[in-house]
Amino acid sequence: MLGSWIEIAVPQGPDVAATVLRSWWVRPADGALRGGVLVLPEVFGVNPWVRGVAGALAAEGYGALALPLFARTAPDLELGYDDASLAEGRQHKDLTTTPQLLADGAAAARWLQDQLAPDPSRPSAAGRPALGCVGFCFGGHAALLLATLPAVVASCDFYGAGVATGRPGGGPPSLELLDQVAGRLWCFCGGADPLIPPAEVVAIERALAAADPSGERHRLIRAEGAAHGYMCSARNAFQPAAAAEGWRLMLELFDAELTGKG
């Protein structure tokens, strides 16, 4: 794999200050890319585990771009998983808004599309290469938001807490944006996740069904007995079997939507 830090400029926009995204870019050393995937971290930043996710996607043939979610308050954030780090990450999360996340995601998507060679046989969004997106925890919530971008056709929201109760920076629940999601969105929830209680899981399931009555585009996937953070091998909540299944399903979605095999 070839990995490096790169910088992506985000222009100033309505309610959004300009910034630079210090992002981790990794791709296979040889061969054409099968597609591009945005990787959105937990509140702990683009740390070694998140870079490892990007590397694992690159091992599957994808170009993976892990971008910071707190570029304006902590552009170089890399934290561990202790309580103090969690408190620090949540401070930055509380200062982050939905317009910022969407502006940063759009800039990152444009950069990633530029790295993909046009291929008439592949899915495309507005005439440009289509992208996937995966996020974890706060990054999972952000993945639901970025699923509204035209460039993103396949999104995996892993235990994105709060989507049923609000949105970053304030406002109605992010679930109310599902009518703007033109692609496919799969939401993963652990059955023992205290940050997404049963009532919110039901709300997510109902919102997905209302936005996609056919059930062909959107799915809710429960990992029974799994706690919050079950995908992350660096956390105490890591559950290997649930993580392996989550990874398998994510690759299934990306294979179908980004490589033209669906």
Side-chain angles (χ1 to χ4, degrees):
M1 302 302 106
L2 298 175
S4 62
W5 291 103
I6 57 98
E7 293 187 345
I8 300 170
V10 181
Q12 182 173 345
D15 302 317
V16 175
T19 192
V20 173
L21 305 177
R22 178 179 178 265
S23 305
W24 180 251
W25 165 239
V26 59
R27 57 163 296 155
D30 299 308
L33 296 177
R34 301 179 68 209
V37 179
L38 300 170
V39 180
L40 310 182
E42 310 147 306
V43 296
F44 308 102
V46 186
N47 62 14
W49 182 75
V50 171
R51 297 199 298 273
V53 170
L57 284 165
E60 297 289 340
Y62 295 100
L65 180 68
L67 56 144
L69 300 181
F70 310 140
R72 292 161 186 80
T73 61
D76 303 327
L77 189 70
E78 288 190 44
L79 299 174
Y81 293 94
D82 56 281
D83 290 343
S85 295
L86 176 60
E88 181 179 349
R90 284 177 170 172
Q91 287 180 341
H92 294 293
K93 180 193 75 168
D94 291 342
L95 297 172
T96 302
T97 69
T98 296
Q100 290 170 346
L101 293 169
L102 290 173
D104 295 355
R110 288 191 295 270
W111 186 92
L112 184 51
Q113 286 178 313
D114 287 342
Q115 314 312 306
L116 304 176
D119 184 344
S121 68
R122 288 183 175 181
S124 64
R128 304 197 70 201
L131 304 178
C133 180
V134 59
F136 307 88
C137 303
F138 184 62
H141 193 144
L144 186 150
L145 298 174
L146 266 59
T148 65
L149 297 176
V152 177
V153 301
S155 297
C156 289
D157 162 7
F158 280 96
Y159 35 85
V163 297
T165 57
R167 68 182 63 173
S174 294
L175 287 178
E176 294 188 12
L177 298 173
L178 288 178
D179 62 349
Q180 300 179 32
V181 177
R184 298 176 72 184
L185 171 65
W186 289 6
C187 296
F188 297 76
C189 296
D193 188 342
L195 300 185
I196 311 178
E200 293 187 21
V201 175
V202 170
I204 294 169
E205 186 171 36
R206 288 176 176 171
L208 293 174
D212 176 32
S214 69
E216 295 177 355
R217 293 190 299 115
H218 303 333
R219 289 180 62 184
L220 174 67
I221 299 158
R222 293 183 177 88
E224 298 302 334
H228 192 78
Y230 70 84
M231 291 288 293
C232 180
S233 58
R235 302 181 71 159
N236 292 333
F238 177 56
Q239 188 173 105
E245 179 64 3
W247 185 261
R248 184 189 70 80
L249 289 169
M250 177 183 65
L251 291 180
E252 176 185 304
L253 177 62
F254 291 160
D255 187 56
E257 297 302 315
L258 303 183
T259 69
K261 294 182 179 180

